[in-house]
Amino acid sequence: SDIIATYLIELWNKTKICEICNKKMENHTQYPFGKHLDHKIPLKSPFLGSHTKDNIRYIHAICNLNRDYSELNPKNFPKNRST
């Protein structure tokens, strides 16, 4: 992982709009419109994304918890995650 705490703070501060719904983000973590850390490509199977800078973002809590991943095609992801 190439993520350190200072990067997460910088990302938090610069994230103003949710990439899922394109609405303004609020600067807290509470449901529904607070910020949640999201993995664009999920860590869980079958997606096997990574915990790296290019795969994380902050989105609304409600958008994260209701995300159905239909925009992702698992055929494009690796079969095994390197550790």
Side-chain angles (χ1 to χ4, degrees):
S1 171
D2 59 352
I3 299 170
I4 58 174
T6 54
Y7 176 76
L8 292 174
I9 293 167
E10 290 170 16
L11 183 61
W12 173 278
N13 289 332
K14 77 176 190 176
T15 303
K16 306 294 184 196
I17 302 293
C18 176
E19 288 184 29
I20 301 295
C21 68
N22 294 313
K23 295 189 178 168
K24 185 179 177 182
M25 301 286 290
E26 295 178 7
N27 280 324
H28 58 77
T29 59
Q30 297 173 354
Y31 187 87
F33 298 112
K35 295 179 182 182
H36 265 204
L37 186 65
D38 174 57
H39 292 88
K40 297 174 191 178
I41 300 172
L43 300 177
K44 65 183 177 183
S45 182
F47 304 106
L48 299 176
S50 58
H51 189 62
T52 55
K53 288 180 182 178
D54 63 343
N55 193 41
I56 63 167
R57 62 186 172 185
Y58 283 104
I59 60 175
H60 284 132
I62 193 168
C63 293
N64 193 20
L65 297 174
N66 290 320
R67 191 168 168 215
D68 67 4
Y69 305 104
S70 60
E71 78 276 12
L72 300 175
N73 183 349
K75 291 186 236 176
N76 297 329
F77 305 127
K79 301 238 185 275
N80 296 309
R81 182 181 353 179
S82 61
T83 55

